[in-house]
Amino acid sequence: MIKNFAKPLVLILSTALFLSACGSAKTTTENTTAGGTSTSSTASADNGAPVTVRFNMNDGEITKDQIKEFETANPTIKIQREDGDTTKLAAQLATGEAPDIIRLTGVNDLPSYVIRGIAMDLTKLIDTSTVIKKDDFVSAVDVYRFDGKVQGQGPIYGIPKDFSSDFTIWINKKLFAAAGVPIPSETVPMTYSQLFDLAKKLTIKNGDTVTQYGLSEGGKGEADLPYLMEYLLSKGVKLSTDDYGKIDFTKPEVKQALQLWVDGVKGNYGPNLVNQDKAGWGGEVFLADKLAMYQSGYWFSGVLRGDEKAKTHLDDYLMLPAPIADGGTRISPTGSATGAIINKATKHPKEAWKVYEWFFGGKPAEDRAKSGWGVPAYKHMLPMIPQETVFDKKTYAVLQDELKYSGKFIEMNPYLLNGDTLLKKQLTPVYFGKATLDDAMIALNKDANKIIEEAKSAASSK
């Protein structure tokens, strides 16, 4: 057996992160407006000096030219961009020094930030905005709504800068031809069993050496938590209790989903821990024309258009619908939806909203839509998505169909901040034949519920 020496550290770090973040619930005032905006005298500058809004967003997601354009049009506001460093942000939240606008993912982070009192309710601000219209939102934007129990319902706490239906399948048609395998339908989704059967056929070996992989997830050819939760969403299976106080990873549907990837690792369908492929991620292998199928979202079309080699033969690539669980219903949810919230403790809510409204609803949002790196949050911007080439047109057609099934969201327990790490830790000995999948699920359940108990207790004590 692989020793679980990392277990105490995982438990300690997870609880510490939750505790430190809970400290950020303090605000600069006791009163807020209906929209969650501070009414403190420190809320905005009244001495004529420019106000600096600290914006936690990575370089490239907001450019220097965009910042200059905004500041020219709004001379009383300065934008200070800060990198999205998770460790640094946790420390800033603990000391009350977090940025005014905080980058996060709607799927993984939003409920946790709401529960901890960090996220400002933007509902009233959006209702009165002349830039952002709520009835213009695509359904995936609801991932930034949370009523304390159900994600997708309740107040609006943020907007994605863009998103993808992240479980679609990208294929390399030439590698299908090399394996003598027909190309699946562009309109009818495969089941996951069909997908893995196809992966087996598409994996080509020369002796013990794999010359062509059949399938990989976003990172490697191994299971991750988003994949598991998407499979369970299709099956209609929920793991957490209504109060998120407990989670059950021992349900039979969990084993069904994970067994597919355990068999996939044994069959060398993709780069993995066991075969020690040196590729950093599945996309790297796909771009090298060594991977027939890659599970990733619409955003990957931007990678293909931008890659010097891939862009010379884009017609060899095709996006297919997201698979469905065996016996499940069709869904095509986002696995991330990167966006931002406004820090409830901001001293400059008026100015922070001005920046937020511009970045998430103004010209920067239009620029992102036209870039083809993600799906815009607004219906009126969907036609701005690239549709010039045959590749663009085919990709857009599949995307339009997938968006019809993007209104449901994968389950993420807000008290389990490192669920993906825990899952991968317990699956590693299974991949190496040192533990059974049943053993891994029991151990995962024990670790996860311990972390949830401690994190929930920490939150209630604040």
Side-chain angles (χ1 to χ4, degrees):
M1 296 285 290
I2 293 180
K3 294 182 178 180
N4 289 328
F5 61 85
K7 178 179 175 181
L9 180 60
V10 169
L11 294 173
I12 292 169
L13 287 177
S14 178
T15 306
L17 178 61
F18 202 95
L19 279 166
S20 67
C22 284
S24 69
K26 296 180 180 179
T27 61
T28 57
T29 179
E30 294 180 359
N31 301 313
T32 58
T33 66
T37 305
S38 170
T39 58
S40 165
S41 60
T42 63
S44 60
D46 55 7
N47 59 3
V51 167
T52 297
V53 172
R54 295 168 57 209
F55 197 164
N56 174 218
M57 192 63 67
N58 292 330
D59 189 22
E61 292 178 316
I62 180 171
T63 67
K64 292 180 180 178
D65 287 343
Q66 287 174 331
I67 291 173
K68 182 178 180 180
E69 182 178 342
F70 175 86
E71 291 178 346
T72 299
N74 301 272
T76 61
I77 304 175
K78 299 293 183 184
I79 296 176
Q80 178 179 312
R81 187 196 67 79
E82 300 182 10
D83 288 332
D85 185 319
T86 304
T87 303
K88 180 180 178 181
L89 178 60
Q92 290 173 327
L93 287 168
T95 59
E97 299 175 347
D100 301 287
I101 301 174
I102 300 173
R103 181 187 191 274
L104 48 69
T105 69
V107 171
N108 299 288
D109 304 320
L110 192 279
S112 176
Y113 276 76
V114 173
I115 287 172
R116 290 178 281 157
I118 300 168
M120 179 187 291
D121 181 350
L122 305 181
T123 307
K124 292 293 182 68
L125 293 170
I126 291 172
D127 285 342
T128 57
S129 174
T130 59
V131 177
I132 297 171
K133 299 299 181 183
K134 193 160 56 177
D135 60 3
D136 191 33
F137 286 155
V138 298
S139 59
V141 177
D142 284 346
V143 76
Y144 276 84
R145 302 179 71 151
F146 186 58
D147 63 3
K149 292 185 177 180
V150 180
Q151 195 165 6
Q153 298 179 12
I156 305 170
Y157 290 96
I159 300 171
K161 66 178 182 65
D162 49 33
F163 71 97
S164 283
S165 294
D166 286 309
F167 301 92
T168 50
I169 304 295
W170 285 95
I171 70 166
N172 185 321
K173 291 186 283 187
K174 282 190 174 180
L175 300 191
F176 269 70
V181 175
I183 294 173
S185 172
E186 296 174 46
T187 57
V188 179
M190 294 179 278
T191 65
Y192 269 105
S193 287
Q194 290 171 334
L195 177 70
F196 277 85
D197 286 345
L198 210 57
K200 183 177 182 179
K201 296 175 182 176
L202 289 163
T203 301
I204 300 175
K205 300 178 181 179
N206 182 4
D208 293 331
T209 302
V210 177
T211 58
Q212 175 179 304
Y213 288 122
L215 175 67
S216 178
E217 280 270 282
K220 293 274 191 176
E222 302 162 3
D224 60 17
L225 190 61
Y227 153 76
L228 171 61
M229 303 315 293
E230 190 258 353
Y231 185 98
L232 296 176
L233 179 64
S234 178
K235 292 285 284 187
V237 174
K238 190 171 181 286
L239 297 189
S240 296
T241 54
D242 288 343
D243 66 350
Y244 297 107
K246 292 185 181 298
I247 195 167
D248 186 2
F249 281 107
T250 64
K251 292 188 175 183
E253 295 85 358
V254 174
K255 186 174 182 179
Q256 291 169 14
L258 296 180
Q259 188 67 58
L260 291 170
W261 269 119
V262 170
D263 293 342
V265 169
K266 291 179 179 178
N268 271 325
Y269 296 171
N272 58 61
L273 286 170
V274 179
N275 62 36
Q276 298 183 342
D277 191 291
K278 295 181 180 179
W281 60 302
E284 180 182 341
V285 187
F286 191 83
L287 291 170
D289 293 331
K290 286 187 61 180
L291 175 64
M293 299 190 296
Y294 180 51
Q295 187 166 38
S296 189
Y298 169 78
W299 68 271
F300 193 67
S301 69
V303 175
L304 293 171
R305 290 189 200 93
D307 184 79
E308 289 302 317
K309 179 183 176 183
K311 69 182 181 182
T312 64
H313 59 109
L314 287 175
D315 290 346
D316 289 336
Y317 305 114
L318 184 64
M319 188 171 85
L320 301 179
I324 62 175
D326 296 85
T329 59
R330 185 173 180 179
I331 55 170
S332 191
T334 178
S336 177
T338 299
I341 58 169
I342 294 180
N343 187 350
K344 193 174 182 180
T346 178
K347 295 179 180 179
H348 307 295
K350 179 180 177 181
E351 291 80 6
W353 171 248
K354 184 75 173 179
V355 174
Y356 193 101
E357 185 181 46
W358 159 78
F359 182 78
F360 286 96
K363 188 174 180 298
E366 294 181 354
D367 292 341
R368 290 192 295 274
K370 295 173 183 176
S371 74
W373 277 86
V375 182
Y378 309 94
K379 298 171 187 173
H380 83 273
M381 291 187 189
L382 290 175
M384 299 179 187
I385 290 175
Q387 300 176 58
E388 288 76 23
T389 67
V390 172
F391 169 80
D392 292 336
K393 287 181 172 66
K394 281 183 169 290
T395 303
Y396 185 74
V398 175
L399 174 65
Q400 287 291 90
D401 206 24
E402 291 300 286
L403 291 178
K404 298 174 186 176
Y405 304 93
S406 64
K408 293 185 177 181
F409 310 114
I410 62 177
E411 175 194 351
M412 290 292 177
N413 190 303
Y415 299 106
L416 187 62
L417 301 181
N418 60 342
D420 189 52
T421 301
L422 289 177
L423 174 65
K424 290 176 179 177
K425 184 188 77 168
Q426 295 300 343
L427 285 178
T428 295
V430 179
Y431 294 148
F432 281 92
K434 301 298 182 181
T436 68
L437 184 53
D438 288 322
D439 289 339
M441 291 163 58
I442 292 170
L444 173 62
N445 220 45
K446 182 178 180 180
D447 283 358
N449 280 291
K450 178 65 174 176
I451 290 173
I452 290 170
E453 179 184 2
E454 293 180 357
K456 195 169 174 55
S457 175
S460 63
S461 68
K462 290 294 179 179

PDB file of all heavy atoms in Angstrom, residues 346-374:
ATOM      1  N   THR A 346     -15.017  45.660   0.900  1.00  0.00           N
ATOM      2  CA  THR A 346     -14.376  46.750   0.167  1.00  0.00           C
ATOM      3  C   THR A 346     -14.710  48.108   0.775  1.00  0.00           C
ATOM      4  O   THR A 346     -15.839  48.342   1.227  1.00  0.00           O
ATOM      5  CB  THR A 346     -14.801  46.751  -1.316  1.00  0.00           C
ATOM      6  OG1 THR A 346     -14.184  47.856  -1.978  1.00  0.00           O
ATOM      7  CG2 THR A 346     -16.314  46.860  -1.482  1.00  0.00           C
ATOM      8  N   LYS A 347     -13.749  49.005   0.772  1.00  0.00           N
ATOM      9  CA  LYS A 347     -13.961  50.374   1.246  1.00  0.00           C
ATOM     10  C   LYS A 347     -14.480  51.278   0.130  1.00  0.00           C
ATOM     11  O   LYS A 347     -14.850  52.418   0.370  1.00  0.00           O
ATOM     12  CB  LYS A 347     -12.655  50.933   1.810  1.00  0.00           C
ATOM     13  CG  LYS A 347     -12.160  50.201   3.049  1.00  0.00           C
ATOM     14  CD  LYS A 347     -10.849  50.797   3.552  1.00  0.00           C
ATOM     15  CE  LYS A 347     -10.359  50.059   4.787  1.00  0.00           C
ATOM     16  NZ  LYS A 347      -9.071  50.613   5.289  1.00  0.00           N
ATOM     17  N   HIS A 348     -14.487  50.726  -1.078  1.00  0.00           N
ATOM     18  CA  HIS A 348     -14.898  51.532  -2.230  1.00  0.00           C
ATOM     19  C   HIS A 348     -15.904  50.774  -3.096  1.00  0.00           C
ATOM     20  O   HIS A 348     -15.637  50.461  -4.260  1.00  0.00           O
ATOM     21  CB  HIS A 348     -13.672  51.914  -3.069  1.00  0.00           C
ATOM     22  CG  HIS A 348     -12.578  52.563  -2.286  1.00  0.00           C
ATOM     23  ND1 HIS A 348     -12.721  53.783  -1.673  1.00  0.00           N
ATOM     24  CD2 HIS A 348     -11.321  52.148  -1.994  1.00  0.00           C
ATOM     25  CE1 HIS A 348     -11.593  54.110  -1.059  1.00  0.00           C
ATOM     26  NE2 HIS A 348     -10.724  53.133  -1.231  1.00  0.00           N
ATOM     27  N   PRO A 349     -17.081  50.466  -2.566  1.00  0.00           N
ATOM     28  CA  PRO A 349     -18.051  49.659  -3.317  1.00  0.00           C
ATOM     29  C   PRO A 349     -18.534  50.325  -4.597  1.00  0.00           C
ATOM     30  O   PRO A 349     -18.758  49.642  -5.599  1.00  0.00           O
ATOM     31  CB  PRO A 349     -19.190  49.461  -2.317  1.00  0.00           C
ATOM     32  CG  PRO A 349     -19.060  50.597  -1.362  1.00  0.00           C
ATOM     33  CD  PRO A 349     -17.594  50.836  -1.226  1.00  0.00           C
ATOM     34  N   LYS A 350     -18.727  51.639  -4.575  1.00  0.00           N
ATOM     35  CA  LYS A 350     -19.212  52.346  -5.762  1.00  0.00           C
ATOM     36  C   LYS A 350     -18.213  52.224  -6.900  1.00  0.00           C
ATOM     37  O   LYS A 350     -18.570  51.909  -8.044  1.00  0.00           O
ATOM     38  CB  LYS A 350     -19.467  53.816  -5.431  1.00  0.00           C
ATOM     39  CG  LYS A 350     -19.959  54.640  -6.604  1.00  0.00           C
ATOM     40  CD  LYS A 350     -20.187  56.089  -6.194  1.00  0.00           C
ATOM     41  CE  LYS A 350     -20.620  56.943  -7.385  1.00  0.00           C
ATOM     42  NZ  LYS A 350     -20.807  58.369  -6.981  1.00  0.00           N
ATOM     43  N   GLU A 351     -16.956  52.465  -6.592  1.00  0.00           N
ATOM     44  CA  GLU A 351     -15.919  52.400  -7.616  1.00  0.00           C
ATOM     45  C   GLU A 351     -15.649  50.957  -8.051  1.00  0.00           C
ATOM     46  O   GLU A 351     -15.397  50.682  -9.228  1.00  0.00           O
ATOM     47  CB  GLU A 351     -14.631  53.052  -7.106  1.00  0.00           C
ATOM     48  CG  GLU A 351     -14.716  54.569  -6.932  1.00  0.00           C
ATOM     49  CD  GLU A 351     -15.409  54.990  -5.637  1.00  0.00           C
ATOM     50  OE1 GLU A 351     -15.728  54.100  -4.810  1.00  0.00           O
ATOM     51  OE2 GLU A 351     -15.634  56.195  -5.444  1.00  0.00           O
ATOM     52  N   ALA A 352     -15.700  50.042  -7.069  1.00  0.00           N
ATOM     53  CA  ALA A 352     -15.492  48.627  -7.407  1.00  0.00           C
ATOM     54  C   ALA A 352     -16.571  48.154  -8.384  1.00  0.00           C
ATOM     55  O   ALA A 352     -16.285  47.430  -9.341  1.00  0.00           O
ATOM     56  CB  ALA A 352     -15.509  47.772  -6.142  1.00  0.00           C
ATOM     57  N   TRP A 353     -17.823  48.568  -8.158  1.00  0.00           N
ATOM     58  CA  TRP A 353     -18.900  48.185  -9.067  1.00  0.00           C
ATOM     59  C   TRP A 353     -18.712  48.810 -10.454  1.00  0.00           C
ATOM     60  O   TRP A 353     -18.985  48.175 -11.469  1.00  0.00           O
ATOM     61  CB  TRP A 353     -20.261  48.570  -8.503  1.00  0.00           C
ATOM     62  CG  TRP A 353     -21.371  48.381  -9.497  1.00  0.00           C
ATOM     63  CD1 TRP A 353     -22.128  49.341 -10.092  1.00  0.00           C
ATOM     64  CD2 TRP A 353     -21.823  47.138 -10.049  1.00  0.00           C
ATOM     65  NE1 TRP A 353     -23.027  48.794 -10.980  1.00  0.00           N
ATOM     66  CE2 TRP A 353     -22.863  47.422 -10.963  1.00  0.00           C
ATOM     67  CE3 TRP A 353     -21.459  45.805  -9.857  1.00  0.00           C
ATOM     68  CZ2 TRP A 353     -23.524  46.437 -11.690  1.00  0.00           C
ATOM     69  CZ3 TRP A 353     -22.117  44.818 -10.578  1.00  0.00           C
ATOM     70  CH2 TRP A 353     -23.132  45.139 -11.476  1.00  0.00           C
ATOM     71  N   LYS A 354     -18.225  50.036 -10.495  1.00  0.00           N
ATOM     72  CA  LYS A 354     -17.977  50.705 -11.783  1.00  0.00           C
ATOM     73  C   LYS A 354     -16.986  49.889 -12.611  1.00  0.00           C
ATOM     74  O   LYS A 354     -17.176  49.678 -13.818  1.00  0.00           O
ATOM     75  CB  LYS A 354     -17.430  52.118 -11.542  1.00  0.00           C
ATOM     76  CG  LYS A 354     -17.230  52.955 -12.812  1.00  0.00           C
ATOM     77  CD  LYS A 354     -18.543  53.437 -13.354  1.00  0.00           C
ATOM     78  CE  LYS A 354     -18.343  54.393 -14.511  1.00  0.00           C
ATOM     79  NZ  LYS A 354     -19.625  54.868 -15.081  1.00  0.00           N
ATOM     80  N   VAL A 355     -15.904  49.420 -11.965  1.00  0.00           N
ATOM     81  CA  VAL A 355     -14.910  48.593 -12.650  1.00  0.00           C
ATOM     82  C   VAL A 355     -15.522  47.250 -13.043  1.00  0.00           C
ATOM     83  O   VAL A 355     -15.343  46.768 -14.160  1.00  0.00           O
ATOM     84  CB  VAL A 355     -13.664  48.385 -11.754  1.00  0.00           C
ATOM     85  CG1 VAL A 355     -12.694  47.395 -12.400  1.00  0.00           C
ATOM     86  CG2 VAL A 355     -12.970  49.715 -11.475  1.00  0.00           C
ATOM     87  N   TYR A 356     -16.249  46.660 -12.105  1.00  0.00           N
ATOM     88  CA  TYR A 356     -16.855  45.344 -12.337  1.00  0.00           C
ATOM     89  C   TYR A 356     -17.821  45.391 -13.512  1.00  0.00           C
ATOM     90  O   TYR A 356     -17.783  44.529 -14.411  1.00  0.00           O
ATOM     91  CB  TYR A 356     -17.576  44.905 -11.057  1.00  0.00           C
ATOM     92  CG  TYR A 356     -17.974  43.448 -11.029  1.00  0.00           C
ATOM     93  CD1 TYR A 356     -17.226  42.526 -10.322  1.00  0.00           C
ATOM     94  CD2 TYR A 356     -19.103  42.995 -11.713  1.00  0.00           C
ATOM     95  CE1 TYR A 356     -17.574  41.177 -10.280  1.00  0.00           C
ATOM     96  CE2 TYR A 356     -19.457  41.657 -11.684  1.00  0.00           C
ATOM     97  CZ  TYR A 356     -18.693  40.754 -10.966  1.00  0.00           C
ATOM     98  OH  TYR A 356     -19.042  39.428 -10.946  1.00  0.00           O
ATOM     99  N   GLU A 357     -18.686  46.384 -13.513  1.00  0.00           N
ATOM    100  CA  GLU A 357     -19.695  46.537 -14.552  1.00  0.00           C
ATOM    101  C   GLU A 357     -19.053  46.695 -15.931  1.00  0.00           C
ATOM    102  O   GLU A 357     -19.508  46.105 -16.916  1.00  0.00           O
ATOM    103  CB  GLU A 357     -20.564  47.751 -14.221  1.00  0.00           C
ATOM    104  CG  GLU A 357     -21.728  47.987 -15.139  1.00  0.00           C
ATOM    105  CD  GLU A 357     -22.494  49.230 -14.723  1.00  0.00           C
ATOM    106  OE1 GLU A 357     -21.847  50.278 -14.444  1.00  0.00           O
ATOM    107  OE2 GLU A 357     -23.731  49.182 -14.702  1.00  0.00           O
ATOM    108  N   TRP A 358     -17.975  47.469 -15.975  1.00  0.00           N
ATOM    109  CA  TRP A 358     -17.250  47.683 -17.235  1.00  0.00           C
ATOM    110  C   TRP A 358     -16.589  46.395 -17.714  1.00  0.00           C
ATOM    111  O   TRP A 358     -16.726  46.007 -18.872  1.00  0.00           O
ATOM    112  CB  TRP A 358     -16.192  48.779 -17.036  1.00  0.00           C
ATOM    113  CG  TRP A 358     -15.083  48.778 -18.036  1.00  0.00           C
ATOM    114  CD1 TRP A 358     -15.114  49.258 -19.309  1.00  0.00           C
ATOM    115  CD2 TRP A 358     -13.746  48.277 -17.842  1.00  0.00           C
ATOM    116  NE1 TRP A 358     -13.899  49.092 -19.925  1.00  0.00           N
ATOM    117  CE2 TRP A 358     -13.042  48.485 -19.046  1.00  0.00           C
ATOM    118  CE3 TRP A 358     -13.084  47.692 -16.763  1.00  0.00           C
ATOM    119  CZ2 TRP A 358     -11.707  48.107 -19.198  1.00  0.00           C
ATOM    120  CZ3 TRP A 358     -11.763  47.324 -16.918  1.00  0.00           C
ATOM    121  CH2 TRP A 358     -11.087  47.524 -18.127  1.00  0.00           C
ATOM    122  N   PHE A 359     -15.879  45.703 -16.824  1.00  0.00           N
ATOM    123  CA  PHE A 359     -15.116  44.524 -17.221  1.00  0.00           C
ATOM    124  C   PHE A 359     -16.035  43.365 -17.597  1.00  0.00           C
ATOM    125  O   PHE A 359     -15.784  42.648 -18.568  1.00  0.00           O
ATOM    126  CB  PHE A 359     -14.184  44.087 -16.082  1.00  0.00           C
ATOM    127  CG  PHE A 359     -13.325  42.900 -16.432  1.00  0.00           C
ATOM    128  CD1 PHE A 359     -12.205  43.038 -17.226  1.00  0.00           C
ATOM    129  CD2 PHE A 359     -13.663  41.633 -15.972  1.00  0.00           C
ATOM    130  CE1 PHE A 359     -11.407  41.936 -17.560  1.00  0.00           C
ATOM    131  CE2 PHE A 359     -12.879  40.525 -16.293  1.00  0.00           C
ATOM    132  CZ  PHE A 359     -11.761  40.686 -17.084  1.00  0.00           C
ATOM    133  N   PHE A 360     -17.110  43.166 -16.834  1.00  0.00           N
ATOM    134  CA  PHE A 360     -17.966  42.005 -17.068  1.00  0.00           C
ATOM    135  C   PHE A 360     -19.130  42.277 -18.016  1.00  0.00           C
ATOM    136  O   PHE A 360     -19.769  41.333 -18.483  1.00  0.00           O
ATOM    137  CB  PHE A 360     -18.492  41.469 -15.729  1.00  0.00           C
ATOM    138  CG  PHE A 360     -17.446  40.752 -14.941  1.00  0.00           C
ATOM    139  CD1 PHE A 360     -16.725  41.407 -13.956  1.00  0.00           C
ATOM    140  CD2 PHE A 360     -17.145  39.432 -15.198  1.00  0.00           C
ATOM    141  CE1 PHE A 360     -15.740  40.751 -13.236  1.00  0.00           C
ATOM    142  CE2 PHE A 360     -16.161  38.763 -14.486  1.00  0.00           C
ATOM    143  CZ  PHE A 360     -15.454  39.424 -13.501  1.00  0.00           C
ATOM    144  N   GLY A 361     -19.396  43.549 -18.331  1.00  0.00           N
ATOM    145  CA  GLY A 361     -20.505  43.848 -19.221  1.00  0.00           C
ATOM    146  C   GLY A 361     -20.186  44.756 -20.384  1.00  0.00           C
ATOM    147  O   GLY A 361     -20.995  44.885 -21.309  1.00  0.00           O
ATOM    148  N   GLY A 362     -19.026  45.388 -20.353  1.00  0.00           N
ATOM    149  CA  GLY A 362     -18.667  46.357 -21.377  1.00  0.00           C
ATOM    150  C   GLY A 362     -17.775  45.798 -22.472  1.00  0.00           C
ATOM    151  O   GLY A 362     -17.805  44.606 -22.791  1.00  0.00           O
ATOM    152  N   LYS A 363     -16.928  46.664 -23.014  1.00  0.00           N
ATOM    153  CA  LYS A 363     -16.085  46.295 -24.144  1.00  0.00           C
ATOM    154  C   LYS A 363     -15.160  45.104 -23.866  1.00  0.00           C
ATOM    155  O   LYS A 363     -14.962  44.265 -24.755  1.00  0.00           O
ATOM    156  CB  LYS A 363     -15.257  47.500 -24.608  1.00  0.00           C
ATOM    157  CG  LYS A 363     -14.493  47.250 -25.909  1.00  0.00           C
ATOM    158  CD  LYS A 363     -13.808  48.519 -26.396  1.00  0.00           C
ATOM    159  CE  LYS A 363     -13.052  48.258 -27.708  1.00  0.00           C
ATOM    160  NZ  LYS A 363     -11.980  47.261 -27.541  1.00  0.00           N
ATOM    161  N   PRO A 364     -14.573  44.993 -22.678  1.00  0.00           N
ATOM    162  CA  PRO A 364     -13.739  43.808 -22.423  1.00  0.00           C
ATOM    163  C   PRO A 364     -14.509  42.497 -22.610  1.00  0.00           C
ATOM    164  O   PRO A 364     -13.943  41.505 -23.090  1.00  0.00           O
ATOM    165  CB  PRO A 364     -13.284  43.998 -20.972  1.00  0.00           C
ATOM    166  CG  PRO A 364     -13.306  45.468 -20.768  1.00  0.00           C
ATOM    167  CD  PRO A 364     -14.500  45.943 -21.544  1.00  0.00           C
ATOM    168  N   ALA A 365     -15.782  42.482 -22.233  1.00  0.00           N
ATOM    169  CA  ALA A 365     -16.596  41.269 -22.413  1.00  0.00           C
ATOM    170  C   ALA A 365     -16.803  40.983 -23.898  1.00  0.00           C
ATOM    171  O   ALA A 365     -16.769  39.824 -24.328  1.00  0.00           O
ATOM    172  CB  ALA A 365     -17.942  41.433 -21.710  1.00  0.00           C
ATOM    173  N   GLU A 366     -17.010  42.031 -24.690  1.00  0.00           N
ATOM    174  CA  GLU A 366     -17.160  41.854 -26.135  1.00  0.00           C
ATOM    175  C   GLU A 366     -15.860  41.342 -26.759  1.00  0.00           C
ATOM    176  O   GLU A 366     -15.880  40.469 -27.625  1.00  0.00           O
ATOM    177  CB  GLU A 366     -17.568  43.173 -26.785  1.00  0.00           C
ATOM    178  CG  GLU A 366     -18.951  43.653 -26.378  1.00  0.00           C
ATOM    179  CD  GLU A 366     -19.321  44.962 -27.069  1.00  0.00           C
ATOM    180  OE1 GLU A 366     -18.447  45.535 -27.770  1.00  0.00           O
ATOM    181  OE2 GLU A 366     -20.466  45.401 -26.907  1.00  0.00           O
ATOM    182  N   ASP A 367     -14.742  41.892 -26.297  1.00  0.00           N
ATOM    183  CA  ASP A 367     -13.439  41.448 -26.811  1.00  0.00           C
ATOM    184  C   ASP A 367     -13.213  39.970 -26.522  1.00  0.00           C
ATOM    185  O   ASP A 367     -12.687  39.224 -27.369  1.00  0.00           O
ATOM    186  CB  ASP A 367     -12.312  42.272 -26.188  1.00  0.00           C
ATOM    187  CG  ASP A 367     -12.316  43.726 -26.648  1.00  0.00           C
ATOM    188  OD1 ASP A 367     -12.941  44.017 -27.684  1.00  0.00           O
ATOM    189  OD2 ASP A 367     -11.704  44.569 -25.959  1.00  0.00           O
ATOM    190  N   ARG A 368     -13.599  39.531 -25.318  1.00  0.00           N
ATOM    191  CA  ARG A 368     -13.428  38.114 -24.965  1.00  0.00           C
ATOM    192  C   ARG A 368     -14.302  37.226 -25.846  1.00  0.00           C
ATOM    193  O   ARG A 368     -13.871  36.156 -26.276  1.00  0.00           O
ATOM    194  CB  ARG A 368     -13.758  37.897 -23.482  1.00  0.00           C
ATOM    195  CG  ARG A 368     -12.757  38.493 -22.519  1.00  0.00           C
ATOM    196  CD  ARG A 368     -12.982  38.004 -21.091  1.00  0.00           C
ATOM    197  NE  ARG A 368     -14.249  38.437 -20.543  1.00  0.00           N
ATOM    198  CZ  ARG A 368     -14.452  39.594 -19.939  1.00  0.00           C
ATOM    199  NH1 ARG A 368     -13.465  40.464 -19.815  1.00  0.00           N
ATOM    200  NH2 ARG A 368     -15.645  39.904 -19.442  1.00  0.00           N
ATOM    201  N   ALA A 369     -15.531  37.664 -26.106  1.00  0.00           N
ATOM    202  CA  ALA A 369     -16.426  36.872 -26.947  1.00  0.00           C
ATOM    203  C   ALA A 369     -15.841  36.697 -28.345  1.00  0.00           C
ATOM    204  O   ALA A 369     -15.879  35.600 -28.921  1.00  0.00           O
ATOM    205  CB  ALA A 369     -17.797  37.535 -27.021  1.00  0.00           C
ATOM    206  N   LYS A 370     -15.291  37.753 -28.899  1.00  0.00           N
ATOM    207  CA  LYS A 370     -14.742  37.717 -30.257  1.00  0.00           C
ATOM    208  C   LYS A 370     -13.456  36.900 -30.344  1.00  0.00           C
ATOM    209  O   LYS A 370     -13.085  36.433 -31.417  1.00  0.00           O
ATOM    210  CB  LYS A 370     -14.471  39.141 -30.743  1.00  0.00           C
ATOM    211  CG  LYS A 370     -15.735  39.981 -30.909  1.00  0.00           C
ATOM    212  CD  LYS A 370     -15.404  41.440 -31.218  1.00  0.00           C
ATOM    213  CE  LYS A 370     -16.663  42.291 -31.305  1.00  0.00           C
ATOM    214  NZ  LYS A 370     -16.355  43.733 -31.515  1.00  0.00           N
ATOM    215  N   SER A 371     -12.790  36.710 -29.206  1.00  0.00           N
ATOM    216  CA  SER A 371     -11.507  35.998 -29.202  1.00  0.00           C
ATOM    217  C   SER A 371     -11.660  34.495 -29.402  1.00  0.00           C
ATOM    218  O   SER A 371     -10.726  33.815 -29.824  1.00  0.00           O
ATOM    219  CB  SER A 371     -10.770  36.246 -27.886  1.00  0.00           C
ATOM    220  OG  SER A 371     -11.368  35.516 -26.813  1.00  0.00           O
ATOM    221  N   GLY A 372     -12.837  33.944 -29.065  1.00  0.00           N
ATOM    222  CA  GLY A 372     -13.039  32.503 -29.196  1.00  0.00           C
ATOM    223  C   GLY A 372     -12.407  31.679 -28.092  1.00  0.00           C
ATOM    224  O   GLY A 372     -12.261  30.458 -28.237  1.00  0.00           O
ATOM    225  N   TRP A 373     -12.084  32.306 -26.972  1.00  0.00           N
ATOM    226  CA  TRP A 373     -11.482  31.582 -25.860  1.00  0.00           C
ATOM    227  C   TRP A 373     -12.504  31.172 -24.802  1.00  0.00           C
ATOM    228  O   TRP A 373     -12.152  30.553 -23.803  1.00  0.00           O
ATOM    229  CB  TRP A 373     -10.378  32.418 -25.213  1.00  0.00           C
ATOM    230  CG  TRP A 373      -9.080  32.311 -25.937  1.00  0.00           C
ATOM    231  CD1 TRP A 373      -8.666  33.043 -27.008  1.00  0.00           C
ATOM    232  CD2 TRP A 373      -8.029  31.383 -25.679  1.00  0.00           C
ATOM    233  NE1 TRP A 373      -7.416  32.645 -27.414  1.00  0.00           N
ATOM    234  CE2 TRP A 373      -6.991  31.632 -26.611  1.00  0.00           C
ATOM    235  CE3 TRP A 373      -7.847  30.368 -24.736  1.00  0.00           C
ATOM    236  CZ2 TRP A 373      -5.805  30.896 -26.638  1.00  0.00           C
ATOM    237  CZ3 TRP A 373      -6.657  29.639 -24.755  1.00  0.00           C
ATOM    238  CH2 TRP A 373      -5.654  29.910 -25.692  1.00  0.00           C
ATOM    239  N   GLY A 374     -13.754  31.541 -25.005  1.00  0.00           N
ATOM    240  CA  GLY A 374     -14.782  31.178 -24.045  1.00  0.00           C
ATOM    241  C   GLY A 374     -16.138  31.649 -24.524  1.00  0.00           C
ATOM    242  O   GLY A 374     -16.249  32.427 -25.476  1.00  0.00           O
TER     243      GLY A 374
END
